[in-house]
Amino acid sequence: MTSTTNAEIAKADGDLRIALLLGIANWFLFLDHIPHNVVGALTMRNFGFSGATDLFVFVGGYAVTLIYARMTLERGFLVAATRIFKRVWQLYAAYIVLFVIYVELISYVATRTAAPEIISEFNITGFIDHPIRTLIYGLFLQAKPLNLDVLQLTIALMAFQPIIVFGLLYVPNATVVASVTLYAAGRLLDWNLSSYPYGDWYLNPFCWQLLFMMGGWLALIGARYAPAIRAMQAAPALRAMALLYLLFALTIVSSSDIPALAQMMPSGLSDVLLPNDREDVAPHRILHFLVLTFLFSWLVPRDWDYLRSHALQPIIKCGEEWLAVFCAGVFLSFAAHLILITGPYSLARQVAVSIAGIAAMTAVAYYVSWSKQQDGKSAVAHS
């Protein structure tokens, strides 16, 4: 089993599609985090049930499972587990720094501008009233300022990554069953982690772990079923069904903004499917994302020539340096929102702040990549 798994990991390693999708997810998250931004209408969530968060979690599960499964096979599970917890600590440290600076920045801006409503809009009222208490709860990941939920969820999922890696390597079927069971229990029994000062996490880790695990399953086990998957993708009937489901999802999502479509919908259908249950990641939302994955992997093969084109390199670089880009995107989305609410709310202004933010995120990605290369050169020079 080890030799077979090693071959599958080696085959999946270096897939530029993973960095491309992480980069797209980061760009879309940035645009989604700017309220009332016309450019945000181009992101995934406006075309179906799933969105950038689904993409981020699924592809993140694929990438980290691939990395640490390979480390497990080459250096042992204990080494891999310690490296995973080191990464969790890095994510946690990034979250704390981001949390403290972010809420302090919002508080400062709110008191210095004519936009005090952003305090409640960004859910940091508790920080103004009880700063020390809120900071303490923030250390335990229980505070929930707006736009930090994805990083918060990633930390929780990564903390259980040793179990996922071990399970998918040695008992994959049992791991899948356990993940599905936990997802069902989270939804049916209303399991979630509590937040301060009230409520639960925006993204329920008991439910979102299923998408994370699915990404890992595709990374480690998917290659074994590649011939069957390709045969399914080659079937015109299945592709037609997939497209019909995407069209159905688009129609449902668009019906909330287009009255004519809403009247065409069966009574109560939109109420069931909208909103998309982002907190507990509804089954139809997962199905929508899997359909997108099914079609994307057919349309964009691993050896797609354009993956190495100059046009896609900025997106791929943002995917390779996803953590720094995500953190930059949180601040940039707040800055963009502030610019929009304190000045003329024009179409040109919305487009400008969106393009400028993406350009800044890309610049951060290239700088971080360049900086790592310089550190590597220094290590070699002094060895």
Side-chain angles (χ1 to χ4, degrees):
M1 181 185 71
T2 302
S3 60
T4 302
T5 307
N6 265 321
E8 293 166 353
I9 292 176
K11 187 176 180 180
D13 195 20
D15 191 342
L16 290 178
R17 294 177 299 179
I18 302 308
L20 175 69
L21 292 173
L22 276 175
I24 291 173
N26 259 317
W27 284 15
F28 282 178
L29 284 171
F30 162 71
L31 295 174
D32 287 341
H33 289 166
I34 306 174
H36 313 299
N37 176 27
V38 67
V39 183
L42 301 176
T43 63
M44 285 177 61
R45 67 178 183 179
N46 299 287
F47 296 92
F49 300 134
S50 58
T53 304
D54 308 65
L55 179 61
F56 190 90
V57 171
F58 181 87
V59 179
Y62 184 106
V64 300
T65 301
L66 197 64
I67 293 170
Y68 294 112
R70 185 167 194 168
M71 188 180 295
T72 298
L73 295 175
E74 292 177 351
R75 301 167 62 185
F77 177 73
L78 181 60
V79 171
T82 59
R83 298 306 88 189
I84 291 172
F85 289 127
K86 178 182 178 181
R87 185 58 171 168
V88 171
W89 171 251
Q90 292 172 342
L91 294 174
Y92 176 75
Y95 173 85
I96 294 302
V97 172
L98 189 61
F99 170 76
V100 173
I101 297 177
Y102 187 55
V103 296
E104 180 61 33
L105 176 64
I106 295 173
S107 303
Y108 175 83
V109 170
T111 56
R112 295 294 189 275
T113 66
E117 68 276 4
I118 64 175
I119 291 178
S120 59
E121 185 176 350
F122 282 81
N123 200 29
I124 63 164
T125 304
F127 182 80
I128 304 300
D129 299 334
H130 308 286
I132 302 301
R133 185 185 305 174
T134 303
L135 284 175
I136 293 174
Y137 279 101
L139 293 175
F140 290 98
L141 303 179
Q142 289 185 291
K144 52 178 186 179
L146 194 66
N147 300 339
L148 295 187
D149 49 351
V150 176
L151 184 55
Q152 188 180 47
L153 173 67
T154 302
I155 294 170
L157 297 178
M158 279 293 296
F160 290 92
Q161 184 63 14
I163 299 174
I164 295 175
V165 170
F166 184 89
L168 289 176
L169 280 174
Y170 301 109
V171 283
N173 293 336
T175 302
V176 171
V177 171
S179 180
V180 172
T181 302
L182 183 59
Y183 167 80
R187 287 186 59 84
L188 297 175
L189 302 178
D190 200 26
W191 290 353
N192 199 345
L193 300 181
S194 61
S195 292
Y196 172 81
Y198 53 82
D200 299 318
W201 279 28
Y202 288 134
L203 302 173
N204 186 346
F206 294 105
C207 297
W208 280 90
Q209 55 78 29
L210 180 60
L211 265 180
F212 195 75
M213 185 282 302
M214 285 180 172
W217 181 93
L218 184 62
L220 297 187
I221 315 299
R224 303 178 191 177
Y225 301 94
I229 294 174
R230 284 194 293 268
M232 293 171 63
Q233 291 171 330
L238 288 178
R239 295 202 302 268
M241 290 175 61
L243 289 172
L244 285 173
Y245 184 71
L246 295 184
L247 180 60
F248 168 73
L250 174 60
T251 303
I252 293 293
V253 171
S254 302
S255 66
S256 59
D257 298 318
I258 304 176
L261 285 178
Q263 294 175 2
M264 295 169 56
M265 294 293 103
S267 178
L269 182 60
S270 295
D271 295 335
V272 173
L273 299 179
L274 290 177
N276 292 331
D277 196 0
R278 184 172 182 264
E279 179 181 323
D280 294 334
V281 59
H284 61 273
R285 183 175 180 135
I286 294 178
L287 177 60
H288 181 265
F289 182 80
L290 293 179
V291 169
L292 286 174
T293 304
F294 176 80
L295 292 176
F296 174 83
S297 59
W298 172 64
L299 292 171
V300 183
R302 176 188 172 88
D303 56 353
W304 192 46
D305 292 337
Y306 288 101
L307 289 171
R308 301 190 181 278
S309 67
H310 293 296
L312 293 182
Q313 293 315 300
I315 307 177
I316 291 174
K317 187 62 66 176
C318 285
E320 292 172 345
E321 306 298 343
W322 70 268
L323 179 58
V325 171
F326 175 85
C327 293
V330 170
F331 287 109
L332 289 167
S333 63
F334 170 69
H337 180 49
L338 184 64
I339 291 171
L340 292 178
I341 65 175
T342 56
Y345 211 85
S346 64
L347 174 63
R349 199 178 184 90
Q350 295 173 53
V351 173
V353 298
S354 299
I355 294 176
I358 290 176
M361 292 164 65
T362 304
V364 168
Y366 274 101
Y367 171 76
V368 171
S369 177
W370 174 83
S371 180
K372 288 180 179 178
Q373 292 175 3
Q374 304 316 305
D375 292 340
K377 291 178 180 178
S378 299
V380 172
H382 289 84
S383 61

